[in-house]
Amino acid sequence: MPHQDIEFDAEGTTIRGWFFPASGTTDKAPTVVMAHGFTAVKEMELDRYAEVFSAHGINVLVYDNRGFGDSDGTPRQEIDPWAQIRDYRHAITYASTLDGVDPQRIGIWGSSYSGGHVLVVGAIDRRVKAVVSQVSLISGYDNYRALVRADFIDGYQTLFDTDRANRFEGKEPATVPVVAANPMDPAALPSADSWTWFTETSKNRAPNWKNEVTVRSLEMMTEYNPIDYIARIAPTPMLLMPAQNDVVAPTIFALRAYEEAREPKKITILPGGHYDAYGPGFEASSSAALDWYLTHL
């Protein structure tokens, strides 16, 4: 499906991405705004979702998060969750100015870290008329403690404190690998399936992905709790899609969060683990999201 390169201003930072126009219509159509999760760039399967949605009459705006991929932003390789949330809102504003977009029918899609972002955006931005959140980060605090071994927590805290002191002295932010072949080595996502997905997907689809993230990004993740917002999404319809056996964003956190959400809501359990949503579970994840948008947009 052909798409257009786009860029927009996010209060001084240029965000770049793609616009997939809705197929089969010359009228104003609903639009889905989507960005990727923890350090991932748009080439890492987001075009496949966009193609599914646009083939069924939905415009799609896909972009790289600030500091990653084709977007501007400094420090590079840094994830500030609240800056990324504001950028979703900037993207909605930009999308609403485009020909062929019905600004009254805007949906948002997020996965993993951005799956948490769309829960927050859906709660605070009433321009959003449908939310889809898959394999979501529900609580940064809980997720961090689920990913990092208990006996490593103090070491990471020392890393946070040292980096903060160094930045105060004017030094560059420290970084750590996103993934490592050995789960015992320091990494932001220390799981075997994270190493496999990021290295294979970047090699095959996204050579501009970098195996690097700032230490400050991990500290900010521990402060970030999208679950605090999930009860406020209603009356906007929300679809939550945890994976059956997710060890990166543990399934149980999403199941508990779903109980706190209010109607209209739906939960669909995806097959496999965290990254299977982009591979063997792609048909399940994309078709469930499409049905949600067709119903509510």
Side-chain angles (χ1 to χ4, degrees):
M1 182 73 63
H3 59 263
Q4 307 159 15
D5 292 335
I6 57 93
E7 63 180 45
F8 58 92
D9 176 66
E11 296 183 333
T13 297
T14 300
I15 304 296
R16 298 184 179 88
W18 300 320
F19 182 74
F20 291 74
S23 296
T25 181
T26 57
D27 297 328
K28 288 186 178 294
T31 302
V32 168
V33 172
M34 58 194 307
H36 223 317
F38 195 92
T39 77
V41 294
K42 62 187 183 301
E43 289 83 1
M44 299 170 99
E45 315 288 355
L46 292 197
D47 52 327
R48 296 176 64 207
Y49 286 96
E51 288 168 355
V52 169
F53 302 155
S54 65
H56 288 82
I58 300 172
N59 300 307
V60 186
L61 179 69
V62 182
Y63 65 92
D64 279 330
N65 289 304
R66 64 174 58 220
F68 294 89
D70 293 330
S71 290
D72 291 348
T74 55
R76 301 300 293 176
Q77 304 302 119
E78 177 155 291
I79 305 170
D80 179 338
W82 293 104
Q84 292 189 352
I85 285 166
R86 289 192 292 272
D87 288 341
Y88 259 99
R89 305 184 76 184
H90 294 315
I92 292 169
T93 302
Y94 169 70
S96 299
T97 70
L98 298 177
D99 292 339
V101 170
D102 181 351
Q104 301 305 313
R105 292 187 288 165
I106 300 289
I108 52 177
W109 180 101
S111 187
S112 194
Y113 209 178
S114 67
H117 298 346
V118 296
L119 300 178
V120 179
V121 176
I124 63 179
D125 197 323
R126 291 301 163 192
R127 295 175 297 175
V128 174
K129 299 304 189 291
V131 176
V132 173
S133 175
Q134 72 173 33
V135 296
S136 322
L137 176 106
I138 298 298
S139 164
Y141 179 89
D142 291 336
N143 218 103
Y144 170 71
R145 281 156 180 76
L147 278 174
V148 177
R149 279 179 35 171
D151 55 334
F152 287 3
I153 293 286
D154 283 349
Y156 273 91
Q157 188 60 55
T158 299
L159 191 63
F160 296 160
D161 295 344
T162 300
D163 179 56
R164 185 171 290 278
N166 288 339
R167 295 196 320 267
F168 183 77
E169 294 177 358
K171 298 177 182 178
E172 290 296 311
T175 62
V176 293
V178 179
V179 294
N182 183 351
M184 298 296 290
D185 291 342
L189 300 175
S191 71
D193 59 344
S194 294
W195 166 259
T196 299
W197 186 78
F198 274 100
T199 55
E200 290 185 358
T201 306
S202 63
K203 179 176 66 177
N204 295 328
R205 294 179 60 89
N208 62 338
W209 176 78
K210 295 181 179 179
N211 187 16
E212 180 181 67
V213 68
T214 65
V215 168
R216 178 164 50 183
S217 300
L218 299 182
E219 187 174 30
M220 286 189 283
M221 184 181 78
T222 69
E223 304 162 355
Y224 177 51
N225 285 286
I227 192 173
D228 294 342
Y229 290 82
I230 199 166
R232 306 178 197 173
I233 296 172
T236 304
M238 180 204 71
L239 172 63
L240 194 65
M241 293 194 290
Q244 186 173 18
N245 185 30
D246 196 330
V247 298
V248 177
T251 311
I252 188 62
F253 298 157
L255 298 179
R256 291 170 181 165
Y258 183 73
E259 295 302 314
E260 295 193 20
R262 298 189 175 102
E263 300 287 352
K265 63 180 181 178
K266 182 178 180 180
I267 189 166
T268 297
I269 308 298
L270 301 176
H274 189 78
Y275 300 100
D276 289 325
Y278 314 111
F282 175 78
E283 174 61 30
S285 64
S286 61
S287 62
L290 174 63
D291 289 346
W292 196 249
Y293 294 134
L294 293 177
T295 298
H296 295 287
L297 296 181

